[in-house]
Amino acid sequence: MVDSLKKPSFEELRPGVKVPAKETLLTPRFYTTDFDEMAKMDLSPNEEELKALLEEFRADYNRHHFVRDAEFEQSWDSIDGETRKLFIEFLERSCTAEFSGFLLYKELGRRLKDKNPLLAEGFNLMSRDEARHAGFLNKALSDFNLSLDLGFLTKTHKYTFFKPKFIFYATYLSEKIGYWRYITIYRHLEAHPENRIYPIFRFFENWCQDENRHGDFFDAVMRAQPQFLNDWRAKLWCRFFLLSVFATMYLNDIQRSGFYASLGLDARDYDIKVIEKTNETAGRVFPVILDVSKPEFYQRLDVCINNNEKLGAIANSNTPKFLQFFQKLPFYVSNAWQLLRLYLMKPIDMTSVHGTVR
Ligand SMILES: [Fe+2]
Ligand SMILES: [Fe+2]
């Protein structure tokens, strides 16, 4: 009994291959897009910057970075119980997110090859990086005697269709938030090495530079398409994407605060820092950013967290399903209301700043 408490069991597809986590609104998404529209994009208005970024990608600074060293070669049974479960979930979520980037970029690289070589090369080189990231995380899962069948995931995961403009908002933000997430963990563990309970975090410093460069590439692509950034629609959509990315991360992380606690981090403080930094970074290219300094921003997200806890408790109760729906309804309505109010909070206009500071 003690053993089963120490080693949480996960459902397996085959021995050692984990059944992927159930897809919800909060799990990493896989994307597809309108490849013809993407192929027709004219990047000449910002070609110089894009070419310079491609040079950086080609230099492949992390070519020799993702190599597992001796520190991995030990038993990780000391990470047990709830921490082990949260650890495995963290590795799985990160691996799935990295792999989703790989799939999208790889497909774009393939489809745009002859039609838009500049964009195609960028996507191909980014998919090279994401494949390394996903592979490294999957290898880390094997230290916990599990792995993900990425081929199975490719076939069974749902794909969300986004028009190219939305793909760029979403991928830009996920790269930049990824950068801030990795670097914040890295810097924290650098200051508190006693909390570095597993070696993968040592790799985050160079790793996050890949994400930063990917984000810069999307920044440059959006600048080549000023209509993505300069009208009222762009302002509304940028607000929408900022809010969805921040809310998703916050709701996910607070729910798993035990994982961050195992690294000596307070999940809330960590998320607030990552949100502030990502928001500030996005202000370099997006026409608006969110006013995340207002306490209301986190208060409303905290209401959603409480609602989600109640929703979880209802779902796990013995109440018949059709009654559960009515019990859940007020919490769904409350979540929608909080998110709407967050969306309507007065944003910070960045267009006047862009002329002076870049
Ligand atoms: Fe990545
Ligand atoms: Fe990336």
Side-chain angles (χ1 to χ4, degrees):
M1 189 184 146
V2 174
D3 246 357
S4 68
L5 267 180
K6 276 179 77 177
K7 286 221 181 122
S9 61
F10 286 94
E11 254 188 282
E12 291 174 317
L13 277 178
R14 304 186 293 280
V17 178
K18 189 181 173 302
V19 170
K22 206 169 136 252
E23 290 175 47
T24 69
L25 274 175
L26 297 180
T27 47
R29 259 161 224 275
F30 285 17
Y31 295 107
T32 182
T33 189
D34 181 336
F35 297 99
D36 290 328
E37 191 190 323
M38 193 83 87
K40 285 189 201 116
M41 275 173 48
D42 173 18
L43 299 176
S44 55
N46 200 17
E47 208 173 300
E48 285 313 301
E49 194 185 343
L50 281 161
K51 282 189 171 158
L53 286 163
L54 276 187
E55 261 319 299
E56 293 249 300
F57 285 172
R58 288 190 204 115
D60 199 1
Y61 304 113
N62 283 338
R63 184 190 308 244
H64 304 298
H65 181 63
F66 295 95
V67 179
R68 284 162 59 91
D69 51 22
E71 205 189 330
F72 285 93
E73 285 161 24
Q74 50 176 296
S75 158
W76 298 102
D77 288 352
S78 55
I79 303 177
D80 58 9
E82 185 64 11
T83 311
R84 192 177 180 93
K85 182 174 155 269
L86 290 166
F87 226 84
I88 289 168
E89 272 179 19
F90 170 79
L91 293 174
E92 177 181 4
R93 290 185 64 83
S94 307
C95 180
T96 310
E98 296 280 11
F99 185 66
S100 117
F102 161 76
L103 275 184
L104 175 70
Y105 301 164
K106 185 84 202 159
E107 187 64 5
L108 279 161
R110 194 175 70 81
R111 301 256 203 147
L112 303 178
K113 197 167 170 260
D114 304 313
K115 300 174 189 152
N116 198 332
L118 188 67
L119 207 49
E121 190 182 358
F123 279 122
N124 273 329
L125 292 170
M126 290 190 290
S127 80
R128 165 202 72 194
D129 297 339
E130 305 302 12
R132 276 180 198 150
H133 302 166
F136 204 67
L137 284 155
N138 211 6
K139 207 74 194 120
L141 271 170
S142 72
D143 289 337
F144 299 89
N145 310 318
L146 285 170
S147 69
L148 287 178
D149 181 339
L150 299 174
F152 177 79
L153 211 57
T154 309
K155 277 181 254 147
T156 56
H157 207 284
K158 268 207 297 292
Y159 288 76
T160 306
F161 176 88
F162 271 173
K163 303 241 331 144
K165 169 161 105 167
F166 304 133
I167 288 281
F168 289 115
Y169 297 149
T171 50
Y172 168 77
L173 280 177
S174 79
E175 296 290 356
K176 288 296 181 185
I177 208 166
Y179 166 75
W180 284 111
R181 286 174 63 79
Y182 286 140
I183 196 68
T184 306
I185 292 180
Y186 180 83
R187 296 248 165 86
H188 161 77
L189 293 177
E190 194 181 30
H192 303 276
E194 70 282 5
N195 287 324
R196 218 197 67 214
I197 53 177
Y198 182 65
I200 202 165
F201 304 111
R202 252 195 306 120
F203 289 75
F204 279 11
E205 190 182 28
N206 290 33
W207 185 326
C208 76
Q209 294 306 332
D210 282 342
E211 313 303 7
N212 203 25
R213 282 187 285 269
H214 299 170
D216 289 343
F217 185 77
F218 292 127
D219 174 312
V221 171
M222 288 190 284
R223 283 181 207 279
Q225 300 283 302
Q227 77 280 10
F228 285 4
L229 300 169
N230 64 8
D231 62 7
W232 59 272
R233 281 188 216 94
K235 288 189 176 177
L236 292 178
W237 282 113
C238 287
R239 280 163 75 180
F240 174 82
F241 277 92
L242 283 162
L243 178 60
S244 15
V245 167
F246 294 161
T248 308
M249 178 182 77
Y250 192 79
L251 299 184
N252 267 316
D253 285 352
I254 305 296
Q255 227 182 315
R256 295 175 179 79
S257 51
F259 168 75
Y260 296 92
S262 71
L263 305 181
L265 273 164
D266 178 274
R268 198 165 189 273
D269 294 345
Y270 168 75
D271 271 45
I272 290 175
K273 174 152 190 218
V274 170
I275 288 173
E276 262 171 19
K277 289 291 185 185
T278 309
N279 195 45
E280 198 181 294
T281 305
R284 285 190 256 156
V285 60
F286 281 4
V288 284
I289 54 174
L290 306 183
D291 192 354
V292 295
S293 64
K294 282 225 177 82
E296 180 191 347
F297 187 80
Y298 295 101
Q299 283 158 7
R300 291 196 183 279
L301 288 176
D302 288 333
V303 174
C304 295
I305 286 173
N306 280 331
N307 290 339
N308 288 357
E309 274 169 19
K310 305 238 172 62
L311 286 167
I314 297 168
N316 289 329
S317 71
N318 295 324
T319 316
K321 286 279 174 238
F322 75 97
L323 280 179
Q324 280 192 8
F325 172 78
F326 291 102
Q327 288 178 325
K328 285 178 177 176
L329 196 59
F331 300 108
Y332 284 135
V333 172
S334 165
N335 275 351
W337 175 246
Q338 296 307 328
L339 292 170
L340 178 69
R341 291 296 302 269
L342 282 164
Y343 181 70
L344 295 174
M345 273 174 70
K346 193 173 170 343
I348 302 170
D349 191 283
M350 298 305 290
T351 45
S352 55
V353 185
H354 289 165
T356 47
V357 185
R358 274 269 316 259

mmCIF file of all heavy atoms in Angstrom, residues 66 94 97-99 101-102 105 126 129-134 137 174-175 178 182 207-208 210-212 214, ligand 1:
data_model
loop_
_atom_site.group_PDB
_atom_site.id
_atom_site.type_symbol
_atom_site.label_atom_id
_atom_site.label_comp_id
_atom_site.label_asym_id
_atom_site.label_seq_id
_atom_site.Cartn_x
_atom_site.Cartn_y
_atom_site.Cartn_z
ATOM 1 N N PHE A 66 21.231 19.929 -25.945
ATOM 2 C CA PHE A 66 20.276 18.973 -25.371
ATOM 3 C C PHE A 66 20.850 17.560 -25.300
ATOM 4 O O PHE A 66 20.410 16.655 -25.984
ATOM 5 C CB PHE A 66 18.960 19.010 -26.157
ATOM 6 C CG PHE A 66 18.269 20.341 -26.017
ATOM 7 C CD1 PHE A 66 18.439 21.338 -26.969
ATOM 8 C CD2 PHE A 66 17.468 20.608 -24.913
ATOM 9 C CE1 PHE A 66 17.816 22.577 -26.821
ATOM 10 C CE2 PHE A 66 16.855 21.846 -24.751
ATOM 11 C CZ PHE A 66 17.033 22.823 -25.709
ATOM 12 N N SER A 94 4.432 20.053 -20.800
ATOM 13 C CA SER A 94 5.483 20.777 -21.510
ATOM 14 C C SER A 94 5.820 20.052 -22.805
ATOM 15 O O SER A 94 5.974 20.671 -23.856
ATOM 16 C CB SER A 94 6.735 20.897 -20.648
ATOM 17 O OG SER A 94 6.403 21.438 -19.393
ATOM 18 N N ALA A 97 3.079 20.606 -25.348
ATOM 19 C CA ALA A 97 3.103 21.974 -25.882
ATOM 20 C C ALA A 97 4.248 22.131 -26.882
ATOM 21 O O ALA A 97 4.078 22.692 -27.975
ATOM 22 C CB ALA A 97 3.238 22.972 -24.740
ATOM 23 N N GLU A 98 5.429 21.629 -26.537
ATOM 24 C CA GLU A 98 6.574 21.724 -27.450
ATOM 25 C C GLU A 98 6.287 20.936 -28.728
ATOM 26 O O GLU A 98 6.582 21.387 -29.833
ATOM 27 C CB GLU A 98 7.847 21.150 -26.788
ATOM 28 C CG GLU A 98 8.325 21.905 -25.549
ATOM 29 C CD GLU A 98 9.112 23.169 -25.895
ATOM 30 O OE1 GLU A 98 9.118 23.567 -27.069
ATOM 31 O OE2 GLU A 98 9.712 23.759 -24.984
ATOM 32 N N PHE A 99 5.688 19.767 -28.557
ATOM 33 C CA PHE A 99 5.410 18.924 -29.716
ATOM 34 C C PHE A 99 4.351 19.574 -30.611
ATOM 35 O O PHE A 99 4.413 19.455 -31.842
ATOM 36 C CB PHE A 99 4.949 17.536 -29.242
ATOM 37 C CG PHE A 99 4.761 16.568 -30.366
ATOM 38 C CD1 PHE A 99 5.845 16.143 -31.114
ATOM 39 C CD2 PHE A 99 3.492 16.093 -30.693
ATOM 40 C CE1 PHE A 99 5.679 15.255 -32.175
ATOM 41 C CE2 PHE A 99 3.321 15.211 -31.755
ATOM 42 C CZ PHE A 99 4.415 14.784 -32.494
ATOM 43 N N GLY A 101 4.036 22.713 -31.141
ATOM 44 C CA GLY A 101 4.795 23.687 -31.930
ATOM 45 C C GLY A 101 5.523 22.987 -33.062
ATOM 46 O O GLY A 101 5.475 23.412 -34.217
ATOM 47 N N PHE A 102 6.167 21.875 -32.732
ATOM 48 C CA PHE A 102 6.899 21.106 -33.745
ATOM 49 C C PHE A 102 5.975 20.743 -34.916
ATOM 50 O O PHE A 102 6.297 20.978 -36.080
ATOM 51 C CB PHE A 102 7.502 19.836 -33.144
ATOM 52 C CG PHE A 102 7.859 18.802 -34.180
ATOM 53 C CD1 PHE A 102 8.986 18.955 -34.965
ATOM 54 C CD2 PHE A 102 7.034 17.703 -34.399
ATOM 55 C CE1 PHE A 102 9.298 18.028 -35.953
ATOM 56 C CE2 PHE A 102 7.334 16.775 -35.385
ATOM 57 C CZ PHE A 102 8.474 16.935 -36.173
ATOM 58 N N TYR A 105 4.865 23.858 -37.024
ATOM 59 C CA TYR A 105 5.957 24.476 -37.773
ATOM 60 C C TYR A 105 6.440 23.543 -38.889
ATOM 61 O O TYR A 105 6.763 23.974 -39.987
ATOM 62 C CB TYR A 105 7.129 24.834 -36.838
ATOM 63 C CG TYR A 105 6.776 25.792 -35.720
ATOM 64 C CD1 TYR A 105 7.612 25.961 -34.618
ATOM 65 C CD2 TYR A 105 5.603 26.548 -35.762
ATOM 66 C CE1 TYR A 105 7.299 26.841 -33.591
ATOM 67 C CE2 TYR A 105 5.288 27.417 -34.730
ATOM 68 C CZ TYR A 105 6.125 27.554 -33.646
ATOM 69 O OH TYR A 105 5.824 28.411 -32.623
ATOM 70 N N MET A 126 12.591 26.364 -36.835
ATOM 71 C CA MET A 126 11.939 26.364 -35.516
ATOM 72 C C MET A 126 11.429 24.968 -35.168
ATOM 73 O O MET A 126 11.467 24.564 -34.009
ATOM 74 C CB MET A 126 10.796 27.381 -35.481
ATOM 75 C CG MET A 126 11.300 28.823 -35.500
ATOM 76 S SD MET A 126 10.002 30.035 -35.162
ATOM 77 C CE MET A 126 9.030 29.926 -36.633
ATOM 78 N N ASP A 129 14.100 23.003 -33.551
ATOM 79 C CA ASP A 129 14.272 23.296 -32.115
ATOM 80 C C ASP A 129 13.176 22.637 -31.286
ATOM 81 O O ASP A 129 13.445 22.043 -30.241
ATOM 82 C CB ASP A 129 14.221 24.814 -31.866
ATOM 83 C CG ASP A 129 15.355 25.549 -32.564
ATOM 84 O OD1 ASP A 129 16.371 24.913 -32.900
ATOM 85 O OD2 ASP A 129 15.210 26.781 -32.779
ATOM 86 N N GLU A 130 11.934 22.753 -31.745
ATOM 87 C CA GLU A 130 10.818 22.206 -30.947
ATOM 88 C C GLU A 130 10.908 20.682 -30.853
ATOM 89 O O GLU A 130 10.557 20.103 -29.832
ATOM 90 C CB GLU A 130 9.454 22.608 -31.524
ATOM 91 C CG GLU A 130 9.217 24.100 -31.715
ATOM 92 C CD GLU A 130 9.355 24.950 -30.457
ATOM 93 O OE1 GLU A 130 9.847 24.475 -29.426
ATOM 94 O OE2 GLU A 130 8.961 26.131 -30.539
ATOM 95 N N ALA A 131 11.417 20.051 -31.926
ATOM 96 C CA ALA A 131 11.577 18.588 -31.871
ATOM 97 C C ALA A 131 12.574 18.224 -30.769
ATOM 98 O O ALA A 131 12.355 17.287 -30.010
ATOM 99 C CB ALA A 131 12.063 18.066 -33.221
ATOM 100 N N ARG A 132 13.646 19.003 -30.677
ATOM 101 C CA ARG A 132 14.629 18.754 -29.612
ATOM 102 C C ARG A 132 14.007 18.944 -28.238
ATOM 103 O O ARG A 132 14.213 18.137 -27.334
ATOM 104 C CB ARG A 132 15.775 19.765 -29.730
ATOM 105 C CG ARG A 132 16.818 19.370 -30.695
ATOM 106 C CD ARG A 132 17.888 20.457 -30.709
ATOM 107 N NE ARG A 132 18.678 20.327 -31.907
ATOM 108 C CZ ARG A 132 19.257 21.337 -32.520
ATOM 109 N NH1 ARG A 132 19.138 22.564 -32.037
ATOM 110 N NH2 ARG A 132 19.967 21.129 -33.596
ATOM 111 N N HIS A 133 13.261 20.031 -28.106
ATOM 112 C CA HIS A 133 12.648 20.326 -26.797
ATOM 113 C C HIS A 133 11.687 19.203 -26.394
ATOM 114 O O HIS A 133 11.731 18.710 -25.267
ATOM 115 C CB HIS A 133 11.882 21.660 -26.825
ATOM 116 C CG HIS A 133 12.720 22.838 -27.219
ATOM 117 N ND1 HIS A 133 12.186 24.050 -27.580
ATOM 118 C CD2 HIS A 133 14.063 22.984 -27.303
ATOM 119 C CE1 HIS A 133 13.162 24.890 -27.871
ATOM 120 N NE2 HIS A 133 14.306 24.270 -27.719
ATOM 121 N N ALA A 134 10.824 18.820 -27.335
ATOM 122 C CA ALA A 134 9.838 17.780 -27.016
ATOM 123 C C ALA A 134 10.542 16.464 -26.712
ATOM 124 O O ALA A 134 10.192 15.758 -25.767
ATOM 125 C CB ALA A 134 8.857 17.616 -28.176
ATOM 126 N N LEU A 137 12.113 16.426 -23.257
ATOM 127 C CA LEU A 137 11.103 16.272 -22.206
ATOM 128 C C LEU A 137 10.572 14.839 -22.167
ATOM 129 O O LEU A 137 10.339 14.278 -21.095
ATOM 130 C CB LEU A 137 9.952 17.256 -22.429
ATOM 131 C CG LEU A 137 10.293 18.700 -22.048
ATOM 132 C CD1 LEU A 137 9.424 19.686 -22.813
ATOM 133 C CD2 LEU A 137 10.134 18.902 -20.540
ATOM 134 N N SER A 174 2.774 32.370 -27.234
ATOM 135 C CA SER A 174 3.189 31.155 -26.538
ATOM 136 C C SER A 174 4.715 31.046 -26.505
ATOM 137 O O SER A 174 5.276 30.549 -25.534
ATOM 138 C CB SER A 174 2.488 29.915 -27.081
ATOM 139 O OG SER A 174 3.092 29.523 -28.262
ATOM 140 N N GLU A 175 5.390 31.547 -27.534
ATOM 141 C CA GLU A 175 6.860 31.543 -27.493
ATOM 142 C C GLU A 175 7.376 32.488 -26.411
ATOM 143 O O GLU A 175 8.272 32.142 -25.644
ATOM 144 C CB GLU A 175 7.446 31.963 -28.851
ATOM 145 C CG GLU A 175 7.132 31.024 -30.010
ATOM 146 C CD GLU A 175 7.847 29.680 -29.902
ATOM 147 O OE1 GLU A 175 8.654 29.487 -28.976
ATOM 148 O OE2 GLU A 175 7.583 28.812 -30.755
ATOM 149 N N GLY A 178 6.584 31.226 -23.030
ATOM 150 C CA GLY A 178 7.466 30.079 -22.798
ATOM 151 C C GLY A 178 8.843 30.566 -22.356
ATOM 152 O O GLY A 178 9.429 30.048 -21.401
ATOM 153 N N TYR A 182 10.422 29.626 -18.640
ATOM 154 C CA TYR A 182 11.669 28.888 -18.466
ATOM 155 C C TYR A 182 12.713 29.733 -17.736
ATOM 156 O O TYR A 182 13.379 29.252 -16.825
ATOM 157 C CB TYR A 182 12.216 28.436 -19.830
ATOM 158 C CG TYR A 182 11.463 27.283 -20.478
ATOM 159 C CD1 TYR A 182 11.213 27.267 -21.850
ATOM 160 C CD2 TYR A 182 11.031 26.193 -19.738
ATOM 161 C CE1 TYR A 182 10.543 26.205 -22.460
ATOM 162 C CE2 TYR A 182 10.365 25.126 -20.340
ATOM 163 C CZ TYR A 182 10.122 25.140 -21.702
ATOM 164 O OH TYR A 182 9.472 24.091 -22.306
ATOM 165 N N TRP A 207 17.828 26.926 -23.452
ATOM 166 C CA TRP A 207 16.559 26.466 -24.029
ATOM 167 C C TRP A 207 15.637 27.670 -24.280
ATOM 168 O O TRP A 207 15.077 27.830 -25.360
ATOM 169 C CB TRP A 207 15.936 25.513 -23.019
ATOM 170 C CG TRP A 207 14.691 24.792 -23.360
ATOM 171 C CD1 TRP A 207 13.642 25.226 -24.127
ATOM 172 C CD2 TRP A 207 14.346 23.479 -22.901
ATOM 173 N NE1 TRP A 207 12.669 24.264 -24.156
ATOM 174 C CE2 TRP A 207 13.080 23.191 -23.409
ATOM 175 C CE3 TRP A 207 14.992 22.534 -22.101
ATOM 176 C CZ2 TRP A 207 12.430 21.988 -23.149
ATOM 177 C CZ3 TRP A 207 14.344 21.350 -21.840
ATOM 178 C CH2 TRP A 207 13.077 21.068 -22.360
ATOM 179 N N CYS A 208 15.525 28.516 -23.263
ATOM 180 C CA CYS A 208 14.574 29.626 -23.394
ATOM 181 C C CYS A 208 15.023 30.618 -24.451
ATOM 182 O O CYS A 208 14.217 31.360 -24.995
ATOM 183 C CB CYS A 208 14.328 30.294 -22.050
ATOM 184 S SG CYS A 208 15.671 31.342 -21.518
ATOM 185 N N ASP A 210 16.014 29.757 -27.363
ATOM 186 C CA ASP A 210 15.337 29.277 -28.578
ATOM 187 C C ASP A 210 13.944 29.899 -28.645
ATOM 188 O O ASP A 210 13.531 30.428 -29.671
ATOM 189 C CB ASP A 210 15.173 27.749 -28.559
ATOM 190 C CG ASP A 210 16.456 26.997 -28.918
ATOM 191 O OD1 ASP A 210 17.365 27.621 -29.506
ATOM 192 O OD2 ASP A 210 16.534 25.785 -28.615
ATOM 193 N N GLU A 211 13.213 29.832 -27.524
ATOM 194 C CA GLU A 211 11.833 30.343 -27.520
ATOM 195 C C GLU A 211 11.828 31.853 -27.776
ATOM 196 O O GLU A 211 10.958 32.377 -28.472
ATOM 197 C CB GLU A 211 11.127 30.051 -26.192
ATOM 198 C CG GLU A 211 11.271 28.627 -25.654
ATOM 199 C CD GLU A 211 10.802 27.524 -26.596
ATOM 200 O OE1 GLU A 211 10.471 27.812 -27.757
ATOM 201 O OE2 GLU A 211 10.791 26.354 -26.162
ATOM 202 N N ASN A 212 12.814 32.527 -27.223
ATOM 203 C CA ASN A 212 12.886 33.969 -27.414
ATOM 204 C C ASN A 212 13.098 34.312 -28.890
ATOM 205 O O ASN A 212 12.440 35.188 -29.441
ATOM 206 C CB ASN A 212 14.032 34.525 -26.557
ATOM 207 C CG ASN A 212 13.837 35.991 -26.246
ATOM 208 O OD1 ASN A 212 12.710 36.491 -26.242
ATOM 209 N ND2 ASN A 212 14.926 36.683 -25.979
ATOM 210 N N HIS A 214 12.299 32.383 -31.425
ATOM 211 C CA HIS A 214 11.067 32.044 -32.153
ATOM 212 C C HIS A 214 10.065 33.193 -32.029
ATOM 213 O O HIS A 214 9.430 33.589 -33.002
ATOM 214 C CB HIS A 214 10.419 30.767 -31.595
ATOM 215 C CG HIS A 214 11.294 29.548 -31.698
ATOM 216 N ND1 HIS A 214 10.985 28.362 -31.086
ATOM 217 C CD2 HIS A 214 12.470 29.348 -32.345
ATOM 218 C CE1 HIS A 214 11.927 27.468 -31.349
ATOM 219 N NE2 HIS A 214 12.839 28.044 -32.103
HETATM 220 FE FE FE B 1 10.217 25.005 -27.535
#
